[in-house]
Amino acid sequence: MSKFKKNNEKDGPGISTASLPDIVFMLLFFFMVTTVMREVDLKVKISQPEATEVKKLENKALVCYIYIGEPSEAGKYGTKPRIQLNDAFATTTDIGPYVEEFRASKNEAEVPLITTSMKVDSKTEMGIVTEVKQELRKVYALKLNYSTRERLDRN
Amino acid sequence: MPKRGAPPEINAGSMADIAFLLLVFFLVTTTMDTDLGLARLLPPPILEDVETPPIKERNVFVVLVNANDKLLVEGELMEISELRDAAKEFIENPNDEEKLPAKKEVEIPILGTRMVSKQVISLQNDNGTSYDMYIQVQNELAAAYNELRNVLAMEEFGVSYDALVEAGDKAKVKAIRKVFPQRISEAEPKDVGKK
C-alpha cells in the first residue's frame, strides 16, 4: 500500500481547467456567427432531387425563394402540391407581386443580380413548376436556380 | 467588526457548463447548408409580333420527356444514362456528319478561328413529368456541356474548365464558352398525360 501512496504524492498538480471556458466560448462564438436561423417556416415537405453539375448560390441576401411541395399538414390542406412564398401558401398569380416586392426592398443597383431559387420536391409534377416559371418570365425574373442536393458520385 | 480579507471569489467552475450548453444548442441548430443548385437563365417573355427564326432540323437535338418519365431523344427511346453521351456527340459532331449540326467558322479571342457547331438542344416535358426527372435531364445536358468544355480546356490551357471558373479567369472561360455555348431551349410544355 505504501508503495502506491508514494506514487500519488509524486503526481504534479492537476491540470488547470481555468481556460476551458475560454475555449468553449471561442467555439460558441464561432457557431453563433455561422448559424443561420431558418427565416421561414416550411409549410411544405421538400426533398430535393440530386444533381452533379451544381453551382453555389452566391450572395444570399439577393436570393428570392419559392417553395413548392406537398403541404406538411396533409389533413388540413390536402396532398396537392402547393406554392409557398414567405410564410404563407400562395397561388401562381401571387408570384409576380412577390418578386416585385422583393425587388423593391433591395437597392436599385442590386436588382439585376437577384436570383430566384426554386426549392421543389422531387415528386412534384412539372405542371405547377412550369406555371411558376411562366410567371417569373412575365416579371423578367430570369435568373433561376433549381435547388438540388449534390450527388458526389458521377453515376 | 469582523476582519475582512480579500473578497470571496466567485466560483467560475460552472461557467464552462453554461458555455457548453449554449455551444450544444448552436451546434444542433446550425445548418451549414450552402445553397446548391442548377443555374439556368429563363428566356424573356415572347412578344407576339416577333417571329422565331427558322432553325434547320439537323441543328436541333430534340429531347422529349413524357408523363411517365420516359425519354424520347431524336425520335428514339433512351435511358437517362445514355443521354449524356448522346448529347455530347451531338454538340461536338466530331466527324462532321450530315445529320449532326452544321458548323461555322468563328473568330474567338485567345483560341483563334474555330469551327463552332450551330447546335441547339430543345427540351420539352409534359405537365405530368416529375420534377426529379426534369432535374436529371437538365443535369445530364449540363454535364454534357461541362465535360466537353473540360476536355477543351485541358487541351488548350492544361487545366480543367471547372478550375478556370474557380480561378476566375474570365477571358479563358468566355473563350471556351464561345466554342461550346450552352443552348438549351425549353418548349412550352404539353399536357397529354394528365391524370
Side-chain angles (χ1 to χ4, degrees):
Chain A
M1 283 305 277
S2 62
K3 209 179 171 190
F4 291 115
K5 214 170 192 180
K6 220 181 188 177
N7 262 346
N8 276 347
E9 272 165 16
K10 264 190 190 168
D11 270 351
I15 299 166
S16 164
T17 54
S19 55
L20 190 66
D22 299 346
I23 296 163
V24 174
F25 269 118
M26 215 162 67
L27 283 170
L28 176 63
F29 287 137
F30 170 72
F31 280 101
M32 274 178 75
V33 170
T34 53
T35 296
V36 190
M37 298 277 178
R38 229 179 239 290
E39 304 105 75
V40 291
D41 278 336
L42 272 188
K43 291 188 172 183
V44 290
K45 277 186 273 181
I46 292 176
S47 95
Q48 293 173 359
E50 293 184 337
T52 53
E53 310 300 311
V54 291
K55 283 202 186 87
K56 229 181 242 173
L57 248 182
E58 274 152 38
N59 210 342
K60 279 194 182 170
L62 293 178
V63 178
C64 177
Y65 292 97
I66 295 175
Y67 306 89
I68 304 174
E70 227 173 72
S72 334
E73 292 177 68
K76 215 167 172 184
Y77 301 109
T79 55
K80 201 167 165 274
R82 300 280 293 268
I83 304 165
Q84 185 189 346
L85 305 172
N86 289 330
D87 272 333
F89 288 125
T91 56
T92 42
T93 48
D94 298 327
I95 286 172
Y98 171 71
V99 172
E100 291 294 351
E101 199 182 309
F102 187 81
R103 278 182 187 157
S105 69
K106 299 292 164 206
N107 195 329
E108 214 168 299
E110 294 172 336
V111 167
L113 303 173
I114 290 176
T115 312
T116 315
S117 171
M118 285 177 76
K119 296 194 180 225
V120 185
D121 188 80
S122 53
K123 288 193 301 262
T124 314
E125 291 184 355
M126 278 307 289
I128 190 165
V129 180
T130 311
E131 276 171 40
V132 170
K133 272 161 65 184
Q134 299 295 359
E135 289 297 318
L136 288 175
R137 280 174 68 184
K138 277 187 207 158
V139 290
Y140 284 86
L142 303 179
K143 276 178 84 175
L144 185 62
N145 187 296
Y146 300 106
S147 190
T148 57
R149 278 178 292 141
E150 189 168 25
R151 186 173 59 213
L152 292 172
D153 60 307
R154 296 197 153 214
N155 287 330
Chain B
M1 215 167 119
K3 202 180 173 188
R4 280 199 174 177
E9 271 183 43
I10 297 167
N11 183 8
S14 53
M15 184 133 94
D17 300 343
I18 297 164
F20 264 121
L21 212 76
L22 284 167
L23 177 63
V24 169
F25 169 74
F26 280 102
L27 262 171
V28 170
T29 53
T30 298
T31 42
M32 296 266 184
D33 60 357
T34 40
D35 266 328
L36 297 168
L38 298 174
R40 284 282 172 282
L41 212 57
L42 292 175
I46 306 162
L47 301 171
E48 271 162 32
D49 51 348
V50 176
E51 267 185 44
T52 45
I55 302 174
K56 275 187 198 146
E57 205 189 310
R58 64 180 280 203
N59 293 339
V60 186
F61 187 68
V62 185
V63 181
L64 302 169
V65 194
N66 77 359
N68 299 323
D69 292 351
K70 290 275 188 296
L71 270 180
L72 193 74
V73 179
E74 293 280 70
E76 281 172 46
L77 268 171
M78 194 177 270
E79 290 296 319
I80 186 84
S81 52
E82 302 165 75
L83 180 62
R84 189 182 301 191
D85 289 330
K88 270 168 81 177
E89 200 195 340
F90 171 84
I91 296 162
E92 200 182 11
N93 189 10
N95 305 324
D96 292 319
E97 281 172 54
E98 281 286 298
K99 277 184 178 172
L100 297 176
K103 289 183 180 178
K104 199 173 83 178
E105 268 190 17
V106 178
E107 182 72 31
I108 294 168
I110 307 177
L111 296 174
T113 317
R114 286 256 166 187
M115 300 297 279
V116 175
S117 87
K118 297 179 181 173
Q119 41 84 17
V120 176
I121 293 181
S122 162
L123 172 61
Q124 186 167 40
N125 57 271
D126 190 274
N127 273 344
T129 308
S130 81
Y131 181 67
D132 189 37
M133 186 62 185
Y134 175 75
I135 289 296
Q136 294 319 316
V137 172
Q138 286 272 17
N139 187 50
E140 290 305 307
L141 295 178
Y145 280 107
N146 282 347
E147 281 181 14
L148 287 174
R149 286 171 176 179
N150 268 335
V151 169
L152 180 69
M154 277 311 239
E155 275 173 14
E156 295 293 333
F157 308 120
V159 281
S160 72
Y161 174 73
D162 297 329
L164 281 180
V165 173
E166 220 150 90
D169 201 334
K170 283 194 181 143
K172 286 177 181 173
V173 168
K174 252 191 181 168
I176 286 182
R177 277 192 194 158
K178 273 204 171 151
V179 181
F180 293 119
Q182 184 168 315
R183 293 203 202 105
I184 301 176
S185 142
E186 287 183 55
E188 310 288 317
K190 282 194 175 140
D191 202 358
V192 180
K194 194 97 188 170
K195 283 168 199 164

